[in-house]
Amino acid sequence: MGHEIAMGHGLCVECKNCDYGESFMLGVGMQYNSLMNVISCLKGAARNKVVDILENHHVMDGEFEHRLYACPNCNTLHERFYVHLEYDDGKAFEVAFRCGKCRTPLEVVDENVLVLERYACKSCGKRELERGAEMLWD
């Protein structure tokens, strides 16, 4: 389990109504050839569970990357570090995320069909988001 040497990409959004801007770092970078190299991207119980699985179980397959999510209640965008592991002949673990504001489960957003006007600015609440500069990261 791991990734080929890759370069992540960034999605920058800006609000046309206020001075809010945010960069979402998505995908994987050069150090992502091993989940243990980037385990610090996970926090709390999720991190502890992944470390336990990696150290004490037979991991058969898995994937991990930074993904774009949305809160269906607040209608805001979020970046999270996704991990899915298959281990011990049939068991699976997947990190789940909740909105930090309302605690609603976050949903994955397909970047290829992303319509920014559907989402609210985290600062002013208006649906005035637009794409900013594109970037690559490693």
Side-chain angles (χ1 to χ4, degrees):
M1 175 186 61
H3 293 277
E4 298 295 320
I5 294 179
M7 185 168 288
H9 62 283
L11 169 67
C12 298
V13 298
E14 300 168 350
C15 180
K16 294 183 272 187
N17 185 61
C18 70
D19 63 356
Y20 168 82
E22 187 170 2
S23 298
F24 301 101
M25 308 305 280
L26 306 172
V28 297
M30 290 178 57
Q31 294 183 352
Y32 287 64
N33 60 337
S34 163
L35 180 54
M36 286 305 283
N37 287 352
V38 292
I39 196 72
S40 62
C41 294
L42 286 173
K43 307 293 181 227
R47 179 180 179 172
N48 294 340
K49 178 68 175 177
V50 169
V51 169
D52 175 64
I53 292 170
L54 293 175
E55 291 179 349
N56 300 310
H57 299 271
H58 175 69
V59 177
M60 299 166 351
D61 197 10
E63 64 178 306
F64 53 95
E65 66 183 348
H66 296 271
R67 287 187 175 177
L68 188 63
Y69 290 84
C71 174
N73 185 49
C74 297
N75 233 20
T76 51
L77 294 171
H78 306 268
E79 169 197 332
R80 297 290 189 268
F81 185 65
Y82 171 80
V83 176
H84 175 89
L85 298 173
E86 295 177 16
Y87 63 101
D88 293 348
D89 293 323
K91 293 182 182 177
F93 172 77
E94 183 173 80
V95 178
F97 302 104
R98 294 187 175 273
C99 177
K101 182 177 178 182
C102 72
R103 307 305 298 157
T104 299
L106 297 179
E107 299 174 348
V108 176
V109 173
D110 183 347
E111 298 171 66
N112 298 317
V113 295
L114 176 64
V115 178
L116 284 175
E117 295 80 17
R118 292 182 183 165
Y119 300 101
C121 172
K122 290 179 184 174
S123 180
C124 71
K126 298 206 183 239
R127 293 184 182 193
E128 299 282 332
L129 297 179
E130 64 183 2
R131 286 185 188 265
E134 299 289 325
M135 68 177 112
L136 298 175
W137 63 274
D138 64 11

